[in-house]
Amino acid sequence: MIINHNRLTIHEAHKLLRSKQLSSVELTKTILELVRQLEPKVHTLVTITDELALKQAQKADERIAAGDTNPLTGIPAIIKDVICTKGIRTTCSSRMLENFVPPYDATVMEKLNDCGVVVIGKSNMDEFAMGSSTENSALFITHNPWDLSRVPGGSSGGSAAAVSAGETIYALGSDTGGSIRQPAGFCSVTGLKPTYGRVSRYGLVAFASSLDQIGPLTQDVTDCALVMNAIAGYDSRDSTSVPHPTPDYTQCLTTELKGLRIGVPREYFVEGIQKEVETAIRAAINKLQELGASVDWEVSLPNTPNALAVYYIIAPSEASANLARYDGVKYGFSYQDTDSMWDALEKTRQYGFGDEVKRRIMLGTYALSAGYYDAYYLKAQKVRTLIRREFDQAFDKYDALITPTSPSVPFKIGEKVDDPLQMYLSDVCTLPINIAGVPAISIPAGFGDGLPIGMQIIGKPFSEETILKIAYAYEQATEWHKRRPKI
Ligand code: GLN
């Protein structure tokens, strides 16, 4: 039987593996061959772990032969290079960690290993997850499989591009202000940022600890639910992990939307939004209405325009504290060619960090400094509370809110890289969600001039099931998620 392995979803591959029509070794070999062919074009992977993958695949085949029915057993995955993998280099796409090999696994990796994952490699990203295009990687630039002259989004651009191109069946990313959803939207795949505290951050290299979450990037909503089943849950090693019961996320996947109340916040259809994006998202919401949901088109979250300013105070502040650990002494890059300790520290950070990382550290250090703390950091925290309250109030009336994932389709490589403010604006629709700590998913919702458009579905805390259900119903009624880039 000839099977188009690279286009198998997790649930399709799982069926074939269980019925012994396909082995994990065969599947892994096919994927590795695709990686070999596609990498020179898309550049999604910092490290390819082909030997490990084949070993894991063999083990998975043995597990399956012995009756293992875990849906992730033997399925190839790619892991964003910000998630610690024991014995596998974890660079954060930074010169600072270019040769860092973690002595331990992140909790999500332990969980995936327990499921019998096959790791294909570690994916490229914006350095320390700071960026929206993967152009800030200190190693190389990743290209969008839909148009190689465009960015895949960021910072999980390598993960999203790899899923879209077919170099993996699924991937993990991390999202601090949109880094799973925005690249998912730009590459036409599904990406979920879980509720803050839903997935353990233990072993996730910290960028902004009060905003960071790990989540899945997949080819469809069913796969997204399957990966959530594997990675969600309380972890005593992460003090912000929440001991909330973990449901079976596949149980909510029905196409019945009657009784669901959807709100459309007008502030997200911002000035400057691309016409094709607005048209596609409005059409998608109409579709949800046809499927039985009731839609209120006139919701207002008036603090939305403040989210960008709040984010760019809080995230850099936390980053400046988190990145203080890279001093050339404990681990990572170390500048040795000097006699002075201070000189070594300065040069380590001067050469180890790229421009965007330095910009964030300076912004954060300034915002936290004695004379400015009240004016910037404290004020930002107060507005954060207001934003969170607005979401709480909206969720008294609506089960979910719907917005575009990004105001534009993927932009050209080089177009915004020298204009940090323009780059920051590409996250206006995703940042408020991290500020509020609520969950949101991006799913394929159309194309503008052949380029992907993502729809964002936002839910109340720990209501991943509701947003997955809406996403699933929409997906089943449309064909966007089935389109694949021709590369
Ligand atoms: N693009 C945003 C930033 O640069 C968000 C990044 C992220 O979610 N990791 O901070």
Side-chain angles (χ1 to χ4, degrees), residues 16 47 82 87 122 163 170 176 178 181 194 198 222 320 350 357 449 472 481:
L16 295 171
T47 305
V82 67
K122 304 289 301 281
V163 173
Y170 72 99
T176 304
R181 293 158 286 153
R198 176 74 294 187
T222 306
S320 76
Q350 185 182 335
V357 174
D449 275 340
Y472 182 77
H481 67 291

Side-chain angles (χ1 to χ4, degrees), residues 33-317:
E33 175 55 25
L34 279 160
V35 167
R36 204 186 55 75
Q37 286 171 15
L38 296 172
E39 261 317 88
K41 292 186 192 159
V42 281
H43 306 284
T44 67
L45 290 171
V46 172
T47 305
I48 301 173
T49 51
D50 39 0
E51 267 177 44
L52 171 74
L54 287 167
K55 261 190 225 148
Q56 288 176 325
Q58 198 153 8
K59 271 214 191 102
D61 282 332
E62 287 161 20
R63 280 175 62 156
I64 294 165
D68 181 340
T69 59
N70 189 301
L72 296 189
T73 306
I75 309 281
I78 279 174
I79 311 296
K80 185 177 181 181
D81 216 15
V82 67
I83 296 171
C84 284
T85 40
K86 187 176 175 176
I88 306 170
R89 195 166 73 114
T90 299
T91 68
C92 286
S93 292
S94 177
R95 276 191 294 273
M96 191 60 94
L97 292 176
E98 205 168 347
N99 299 306
F100 173 61
V101 179
Y104 67 102
D105 268 325
T107 296
V108 291
M109 273 324 293
E110 284 182 355
K111 286 178 177 246
L112 289 187
N113 283 328
D114 287 347
C115 294
V117 67
V118 172
V119 178
I120 297 294
K122 304 289 301 281
S123 56
N124 196 27
M125 52 186 276
D126 287 296
E127 184 175 6
F128 283 103
M130 299 172 188
S132 315
S133 67
T134 316
E135 290 166 293
N136 292 340
S137 167
L139 309 176
F140 49 83
I141 293 175
T142 297
H143 297 246
N144 191 316
W146 291 92
D147 174 348
L148 295 172
S149 70
R150 291 176 190 267
V151 303
S155 63
S156 312
S159 287
V163 173
S164 152
E167 290 184 287
T168 181
I169 298 207
Y170 72 99
L172 290 188
S174 70
D175 190 314
T176 304
S179 278
I180 290 175
R181 293 158 286 153
Q182 187 253 24
F186 275 14
C187 293
S188 203
V189 300
T190 296
L192 172 71
K193 183 206 84 79
T195 308
Y196 184 75
R198 176 74 294 187
V199 174
S200 170
R201 289 185 300 111
Y202 179 79
L204 169 69
V205 178
F207 162 14
S209 308
S210 77
L211 302 160
D212 300 340
Q213 269 292 288
I214 294 171
L217 287 133
T218 57
Q219 298 174 65
D220 67 11
V221 176
T222 306
D223 280 6
C224 184
L226 289 169
V227 179
M228 278 302 285
N229 280 353
I231 64 173
Y234 175 68
D235 180 10
S236 60
R237 292 180 297 188
D238 170 2
S239 59
T240 57
S241 169
V242 179
H244 199 272
T246 315
D248 174 352
Y249 290 104
T250 60
Q251 290 301 308
C252 59
L253 305 182
T254 63
T255 51
E256 180 52 68
L257 295 187
K258 268 210 183 69
L260 265 170
R261 301 156 305 167
I262 285 172
V264 184
R266 71 169 88 93
E267 289 81 4
Y268 285 74
F269 293 81
V270 283
E271 232 184 81
I273 185 174
Q274 255 175 28
K275 228 178 156 291
E276 298 92 316
V277 173
E278 172 151 14
T279 310
I281 300 307
R282 293 202 183 277
I285 299 169
N286 279 326
K287 186 89 204 166
L288 293 171
Q289 206 161 14
E290 272 171 41
L291 293 169
S294 66
V295 176
D296 181 348
W297 294 88
E298 283 303 323
V299 179
S300 176
L301 301 172
N303 266 298
T304 304
N306 294 325
L308 189 78
V310 168
Y311 178 87
Y312 279 100
I313 296 292
I314 293 177
S317 295

